[in-house]
Amino acid sequence: MSENSNNAAHPDTPSGPPAAAPSAGRAVAASSKRGLPSLKWWQWSLIALGVLVLISMITTGISGGSASDDDGSSEQVTVAEEVEEPVVKTEPEDTTVAVPNVVGKTVAEARADVESAGFVFVVDAGAGDDWVILSQGPVGSGKAEPGTQVSVTTEAPKPVYTLAQQNAIGKAQSYLKLTGFSRAGLIGQLEFEGFSTEEATFGADNAGADWNAEAAEKAASYLELSSFSRQSLYDQLAYEEFTDAEIQFGLAAVGY
């Protein structure tokens, strides 16, 4: 009756023996199983190894970045030290001018070239505009300051002869090598050779004869052939058409 009364008083209470209360150890084990999965030892080893590799990679990345920053700074400092302000050297201005080469030109041509280049032309007195330049100083193609004197040496231009004139000169020179001739006597001899009077005169005048020396040579040749008084030798040289002055020179040369 008492049991019925208790059951009636607590209708919600299940019937049967009361459940045993869980122990503290079982409660902790159940809690652990719910928080972390149960792994074997080799699985934990792999996880630990992965963690170490990750830490190593992070450390290397940090160190590499620092080293890279340091290298960049060093390079920047090095470049800053090597860069220097350029030293500008001022070269003196070259004011020299090329000297014209005038060798082989006429005096007139050389004067025009030299003076147009800014130099002073200096030539021997008496040189004609048609005379030819033999040498110069400063030499051509060199450089000198404007206003420098360019001195030249010259010679008379070589005449251009006709064939007849050239032959008359040659014939006259060949006669002068044989014996003494006066100017008039040599002209006559060339006319005898068939040259015109103009050609014979040209040949005698351009043969390079010294008529005083020719008179002395002729007087000596007569004395080698025979004995002559002064007067007879004078007359003989006059016959050879030497002038009085030439005869007097020739007589004095042989001792008269």
Side-chain angles (χ1 to χ4, degrees):
M1 187 171 179
S2 60
E3 290 176 359
N4 293 335
S5 297
N6 289 336
N7 291 335
H10 301 280
D12 296 332
T13 301
S15 61
S23 65
R26 288 181 179 180
V28 171
S31 177
S32 297
K33 288 179 180 180
R34 284 194 301 268
L36 292 172
S38 177
L39 300 175
K40 296 184 178 182
W41 68 269
W42 59 270
Q43 292 175 324
W44 285 109
S45 299
L46 291 176
I47 292 172
L49 180 60
V51 170
L52 290 176
V53 171
L54 180 60
I55 292 173
S56 176
M57 292 174 64
I58 293 172
T59 303
T60 302
I62 293 173
S63 300
S66 299
S68 176
D69 293 341
D70 292 342
D71 292 343
S73 300
S74 299
E75 288 179 0
Q76 291 176 1
V77 170
T78 302
V79 171
E81 290 177 353
E82 291 180 355
V83 174
E84 297 180 356
E85 290 295 330
V87 178
V88 179
K89 295 182 180 180
T90 304
E91 296 292 338
E93 183 181 357
D94 185 8
T95 58
T96 58
V97 180
V99 179
N101 184 6
V102 296
V103 174
K105 295 186 177 182
T106 64
V107 169
E109 293 171 338
R111 181 183 290 108
D113 290 348
V114 169
E115 292 180 352
S116 64
F119 300 102
V120 178
F121 185 70
V122 179
V123 63
D124 296 335
D129 285 346
D130 60 341
W131 286 38
V132 180
I133 306 298
L134 296 178
S135 63
Q136 70 176 93
V139 297
S141 302
K143 283 191 172 184
E145 291 290 340
T148 302
Q149 290 186 348
V150 177
S151 301
V152 299
T153 59
T154 62
E155 69 173 356
K158 295 180 179 179
V160 179
Y161 299 140
T162 65
L163 181 60
Q165 290 172 334
Q166 293 176 25
N167 288 326
I169 293 172
K171 197 66 174 179
Q173 290 172 341
S174 65
Y175 274 121
L176 291 173
K177 291 177 182 179
L178 294 175
T179 186
F181 275 89
S182 65
R183 178 177 180 274
L186 186 55
I187 291 173
Q189 186 63 40
L190 293 176
E191 289 177 333
F192 179 78
E193 294 286 346
F195 291 99
S196 67
T197 301
E198 182 180 0
E199 293 166 350
T201 302
F202 185 88
D205 289 341
N206 290 277
D210 179 349
W211 305 119
N212 284 333
E214 292 297 318
E217 181 183 352
K218 195 67 174 178
S221 65
Y222 275 124
L223 290 176
E224 289 176 358
L225 294 175
S226 179
S227 298
F228 283 86
S229 64
R230 186 180 189 281
Q231 184 60 46
S232 62
L233 187 55
Y234 181 98
D235 294 340
Q236 191 64 39
L237 293 176
Y239 177 78
E240 297 286 348
E241 300 186 83
F242 286 100
T243 64
D244 179 70
E246 294 164 356
I247 294 172
Q248 296 296 342
F249 183 91
L251 293 175
V254 294
Y256 274 125

